[in-house]
Amino acid sequence: MLFPKKRVRRVTEISIDYLRSKGIRGLILDIDNTLTTHDNPIPSEGVAHWLDLMRENGIKMIVLSNNHGPRVEPFAKILGLDYIAEGKKPLSSGFKRCAAALDLSKEQLCIIGDQIFTDVLGGNWYGCHSILVEPIQPESTAFFKFKRFWERIILFFYKEGERG
Ligand SMILES: [Mg+2]
């Protein structure tokens, strides 16, 4: 439940060939520390280009963020993406809304995010594919450090390739 199907350093490393090989036709995208750093209004380098590449290849996309509307809406609009804010990951409700919005089944969907306890757990719980990216920037709050500590333990036991 806590293991991603695949791990990459940056979202831009995810290829069309990989998605096709897994039958994935839609992406559910986290924002903070996945598409850019926390609360940064500007997408990280290469992200807009990567999104265009996905679009050109018929991959549907939607943003699912636990952050609030005023953070999520302007960022999604810059990138021309639909979005769901206050998504309550890891609960399945947000994932179901994404599937309905994209008109795809869970088997055709992949969550991409930087957190095991919201993005990966939520995707596995819901039943879609999951890709974990490395957080772009380390967080400073005690709560995040606590979560990252447990993530490191889980990733120690995670072996790339066994599930991918
Ligand atoms: Mg995040």
Side-chain angles (χ1 to χ4, degrees):
M1 266 293 173
L2 294 171
F3 283 171
K5 296 284 190 294
K6 182 182 175 68
R7 274 180 87 188
V8 294
R9 207 170 72 83
R10 291 283 177 264
V11 69
T12 48
E13 291 167 22
I14 299 165
S15 72
I16 292 289
D17 286 347
Y18 175 78
L19 298 178
R20 286 206 178 124
S21 75
K22 300 296 176 190
I24 294 161
R25 296 187 51 211
L27 301 177
I28 301 172
L29 302 166
D30 175 53
I31 295 181
D32 291 306
N33 251 340
T34 297
L35 297 181
T36 189
T37 50
H38 258 277
D39 290 324
N40 183 347
I42 314 288
S44 289
E45 195 183 341
V47 165
H49 176 76
W50 178 82
L51 293 171
D52 285 342
L53 189 71
M54 294 292 129
R55 275 192 201 99
E56 286 162 15
N57 283 276
I59 302 290
K60 296 178 173 180
M61 293 176 291
I62 188 166
V63 161
L64 177 62
S65 174
N66 283 355
N67 215 330
H68 52 84
R71 154 57 170 159
V72 177
E73 182 182 2
F75 187 85
K77 278 192 172 158
I78 286 177
L79 295 171
L81 295 168
D82 286 335
Y83 68 92
I84 293 171
E86 296 181 31
K88 299 190 177 67
K89 291 176 283 185
L91 300 183
S92 290
S93 53
F95 289 84
K96 286 177 186 163
R97 287 173 64 196
C98 289
L102 298 183
D103 194 24
L104 293 172
S105 68
K106 57 181 97 173
E107 294 79 14
Q108 297 172 310
L109 286 168
C110 176
I111 172 79
I112 301 174
D114 68 296
Q115 287 195 60
I116 287 179
F117 298 111
T118 55
D119 304 311
V120 171
L121 176 62
N124 289 345
W125 196 350
Y126 170 62
C128 66
H129 199 83
S130 53
I131 300 178
L132 182 70
V133 303
E134 283 182 21
I136 298 172
Q137 197 176 61
E139 297 89 356
S140 51
T141 65
F143 178 56
F144 252 111
K145 283 181 177 165
F146 177 76
K147 285 205 282 191
R148 294 300 185 195
F149 168 77
W150 286 104
E151 285 185 346
R152 280 200 297 278
I153 291 174
I154 291 160
L155 291 174
F156 177 81
F157 290 104
Y158 173 83
K159 290 189 177 64
E160 176 90 60
E162 282 188 348
R163 320 188 124 236

